[in-house]
Amino acid sequence: MARSLSRILVLNGPNLNLLGRREPEIYGTADLATIEATLQNIGFDLGALIESRQSNHEGRLVDWLQEAREDFDGVLLNAAALTHTSVALRDAIVASETPCVEVHLSNVHAREPFRHTSLISGVCVGVVLGFGPNSYALGLRGLIDYLRSPERTED
Ligand code: CA2
């Protein structure tokens, strides 16, 4: 039987629209459009529809996570600084009832102590960090594998 396309929502949080323009020593030289284009290509190869969005506003990210419940099978999320502060995003991930993978460009555990805590990891199915733009690619592959794992699809 033909497998239907997995619908994946990629969400990026505050300041990630600046990627490639500032702090290349931490975040690399690729801009967000380049990362999103790579994810589109991976999605095409793996039979997934990818929709990418970015916002600097917590409430907008919450709205989009709520939308995911109806419109997407999985979420790939770089919540940026909100990772370390936002109970609202954590609650929205739970409410979405949609598997979410957390990604970060940098290895947050090798940085300032306030970045060592994530309020969202505990409600995500997995976390990928420290590999620059490749964190997104690895996270997307992991999310698609997870969505298609026999344990999830058999019943
Ligand atoms: O490493 C990551 O992906 C982060 O999520 C990036 C966040 C940071 O607050 C997290 O602790 C780790 C920061 C995103 C801001 O991105 C910028 C990009 C270029 C210039 C300035 C900020």
Side-chain angles (χ1 to χ4, degrees), residues 15-16 18 22-23 27 78 80-81 84 104-106 108 115:
N15 297 309
L16 286 163
L18 300 177
R22 313 241 172 85
E23 302 191 63
Y27 299 118
N78 185 347
H84 318 295
H104 298 285
L105 294 150
S106 62
V108 288
R115 296 186 203 274

Side-chain angles (χ1 to χ4, degrees), residues 5 9 26 28 30 39 49 54 60 73 80 83 98 101 103 124 130:
L5 292 171
L9 178 62
I26 301 175
L39 297 178
L49 284 173
Q54 187 274 333
R60 180 159 292 176
D73 301 305
T83 303
T98 306
V101 169
V103 297
C124 288

Side-chain angles (χ1 to χ4, degrees), residues 2-146:
R3 189 181 55 206
S4 61
L5 292 171
S6 306
R7 301 159 303 166
I8 308 293
L9 178 62
V10 178
L11 293 182
N12 280 288
N15 297 309
L16 286 163
N17 54 312
L18 300 177
L19 270 185
R21 287 189 261 159
R22 313 241 172 85
E23 302 191 63
E25 65 289 354
I26 301 175
Y27 299 118
T29 53
D31 63 12
L32 194 54
T34 303
I35 293 172
E36 289 171 351
T38 301
L39 297 178
Q40 284 292 341
N41 290 336
I42 294 170
F44 183 82
D45 288 346
L46 298 181
L49 284 173
I50 312 293
E51 182 164 330
S52 297
R53 304 176 188 173
Q54 187 274 333
S55 179
N56 293 328
H57 305 281
E58 185 177 21
R60 180 159 292 176
L61 292 161
V62 167
D63 288 343
W64 288 339
L65 282 164
Q66 290 184 9
E67 257 182 56
R69 193 169 184 276
E70 296 299 323
D71 297 339
F72 293 93
D73 301 305
V75 175
L76 188 71
L77 172 63
N78 185 347
L82 295 171
T83 303
H84 318 295
T85 62
S86 179
V87 177
L89 276 190
R90 179 192 172 98
D91 289 347
I93 293 167
V94 173
S96 75
E97 296 180 336
T98 306
C100 181
V101 169
E102 175 185 356
V103 297
H104 298 285
L105 294 150
S106 62
N107 177 358
V108 288
H109 299 291
R111 301 182 62 192
E112 305 96 321
F114 65 84
R115 296 186 203 274
H116 298 181
T117 300
S118 167
L119 298 191
I120 64 173
S121 297
V123 294
C124 288
V125 296
V127 182
V128 182
L129 55 89
F131 295 103
N134 206 27
S135 293
Y136 287 82
L138 294 166
L140 178 60
R141 290 179 188 280
L143 176 58
I144 292 170
D145 275 1
Y146 174 85

